[in-house]
């Protein structure tokens, strides 16, 4: 009954099922693992103390930035150089901008330092000047921003002295020196009152940690992939069952009602066609004989007309000035006309007799 599973068509279906189910299970398991990793990192972050409360370390010891070192206090020494404003940044539900200065260190590289946040527009804003000379800063370490970071402006077209993303890839095109692939934000206003009007920017949680929207998206994708696997298996069983029932009906000699109705309709059509042929064959000779009778009657009428035409000129007593249409005809012409009509009628009679003989 199940020998149809070995046909080329079912070989293709079986191959698809064998490949699709493991793939769906693998993708669902991978998404579930991503969700579990986020839950685990969230639990570890809650158990650990606030990174900003831990002891500060030199910048080079905390690089590169990862989930462990992100938010840790980093210490760097150097002199402030170029200054940039980062517009479109929100703090305490208010729109404003960051004030960022490049700190040139002894290594030759520069560290982006966010000195604080100011409300309003970055255009024509009055920004407190950065401290002069060599300074030592301690700030919370942050990884370079990307297009998915909150508040980032990737549209471009900003005025000079402004940038939409705090990253080494952006800054290296604006300054003539190397830049660290990280940045720090000062947790307190700068000493000396130069930054007293600016608010400190709190450090952000590292990307990919915590139970955010992406974590629950991974959980939803997990359910979708497992549902896909179950749907593929269900459809395969359904197709096999339908094919097996059809094969069993054929083996038992059972014919669906639709097939019987179709055969009856085809038989009625064949009978109708045969009846039409018989009726046309029976009516053929009778029609031929009727046509022959009509032709013979026409021949007799034409002979009578020819005799009248011959008598007309002799018995005509019309005056000399008038002309009888019949008598005006030449007898020789009348005989020719009668002869031509007789020959045509004889040909029609022979054709009708030949048709009736068939």
């Amino acid at each position: 009954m199940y020998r149809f599973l070995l046909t080329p068509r079912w070989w293709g279906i079986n191959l698809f099922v064998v490949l699709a189910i493991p793939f769906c299970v693998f993708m669902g398991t991978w998404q579930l693992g991503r969700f579990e990793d986020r839950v685990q990192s969230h639990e570890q972050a809650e158990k650990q103390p606030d990174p900003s409360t831990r002891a500060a370390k030199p910048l080079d010891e905390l690089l590169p930035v990862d989930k462990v070192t992100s938010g840790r206090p980093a210490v760097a020494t150097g002199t402030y150089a170029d200054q940039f404003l980062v517009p479109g940044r929100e703090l305490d539900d208010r729109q404003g901008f960051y004030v960022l200065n490049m700190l040139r260190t002894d290594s030759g590289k520069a560290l982006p330092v966010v000195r604080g946040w100011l409300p309003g527009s970055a255009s024509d804003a009055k920004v407190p000047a950065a401290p002069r000379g060599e300074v030592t800063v301690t700030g919370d370490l942050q990884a370079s921003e990307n297009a998915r970071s909150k508040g980032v402006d990737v549209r471009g077209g900003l005025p000079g002295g402004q940038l939409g993303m705090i990253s080494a890839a952006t800054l290296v095109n604006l300054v003539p020196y190397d830049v660290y692939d990280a940045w720090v934000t000062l947790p307190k206003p700068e000493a000396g009152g130069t930054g007293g009007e600016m608010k400190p920017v709190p450090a952000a949680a590292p990307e990919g940690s915590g139970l955010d929207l992406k974590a629950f998206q991974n959980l939803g994708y997990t359910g979708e992939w497992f549902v896909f696997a179950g749907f593929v298996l269900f459809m395969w069983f359904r197709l096999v069952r339908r094919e097996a029932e059809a094969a069993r009906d054929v083996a038992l000699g059972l014919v669906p009602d639709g097939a019987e109705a179709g055969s009856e309709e085809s038989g009625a059509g064949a009978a109708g066609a045969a009846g039409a042929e018989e009726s046309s064959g029976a009516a053929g000779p009778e029609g031929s004989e009727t046509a022959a009778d009509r032709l013979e009657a026409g021949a007799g009428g034409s002979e009578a007309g020819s005799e009248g035409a011959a008598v007309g000129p002799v018995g005509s007593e019309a005056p000399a000035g008038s002309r009888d249409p019949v008598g005006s005809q030449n007898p020789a012409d009348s005989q020719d006309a009668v002869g031509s009509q007789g020959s045509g009628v004889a040909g029609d009679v022979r054709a009708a007799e030949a048709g009736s003989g068939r």
Side-chain angles (χ1 to χ4, degrees), residues 85 87 122-123 152-165 170 174:
L85 303 181
S123 301
V152 168
D153 184 5
V154 296
R155 295 173 299 176
L158 296 175
Q162 298 183 18
L163 70 155
M165 182 188 304
T170 302
L174 302 176

Side-chain angles (χ1 to χ4, degrees), residues 2 59-60 81 195 204 294 298 304 325 335:
Y2 295 97
L59 175 65
D60 294 335
R294 291 177 181 175
Q335 293 178 0

Side-chain angles (χ1 to χ4, degrees), residues 209-330:
S209 64
L211 293 177
D212 52 3
L213 180 61
K214 292 183 179 180
F216 291 100
Q217 285 180 350
N218 294 132
L219 185 61
Y221 294 151
T222 300
E224 288 182 0
W225 283 113
F226 287 145
V227 169
F228 291 159
F231 178 75
V232 170
L233 189 61
F234 167 75
M235 290 302 299
W236 183 82
F237 274 112
R238 184 175 179 179
L239 291 175
V240 170
R241 180 180 178 183
R242 186 178 66 179
E243 196 80 10
E245 291 177 352
R248 183 186 59 187
D249 293 342
V250 172
L252 296 177
L254 301 178
V255 180
D257 295 336
E260 293 180 355
S263 62
E264 291 177 357
E265 292 178 359
S266 61
E277 291 179 355
E278 292 175 0
S279 61
S280 62
E286 295 178 0
S288 301
E289 293 175 359
T290 303
D293 295 339
R294 291 177 181 175
L295 291 174
E296 291 177 358
S302 59
E303 290 176 358
S306 63
E307 292 175 357
V311 172
V314 176
S316 176
E317 296 179 354
S322 62
R323 296 180 60 186
D324 188 358
V326 178
S328 62
Q329 295 180 357
N330 190 353

Side-chain angles (χ1 to χ4, degrees), residues 12 21 44 56 61 77 120 168 190 200 214 231 254 258 274 289 297 299 310 312 345:
I21 292 179
Q44 292 178 354
E61 296 182 8
T77 302
E190 295 175 342
K214 292 183 179 180
F231 178 75
L254 301 178
E289 293 175 359
V345 170

Side-chain angles (χ1 to χ4, degrees), residues 84-101:
F84 298 96
L85 303 181
V86 187
R89 299 306 172 104
E90 185 177 342
L91 183 64
D92 297 335
D93 297 331
R94 299 174 62 190
Q95 287 291 333
F97 57 93
Y98 292 167
V99 179
L100 183 145
N101 286 85

Side-chain angles (χ1 to χ4, degrees), residues 67 76 126 178 207 245 263 270 305 313 329 339:
K67 294 181 180 180
K126 295 182 179 180
D178 294 335
E207 185 178 1
E245 291 177 352
S263 62
Q329 295 180 357

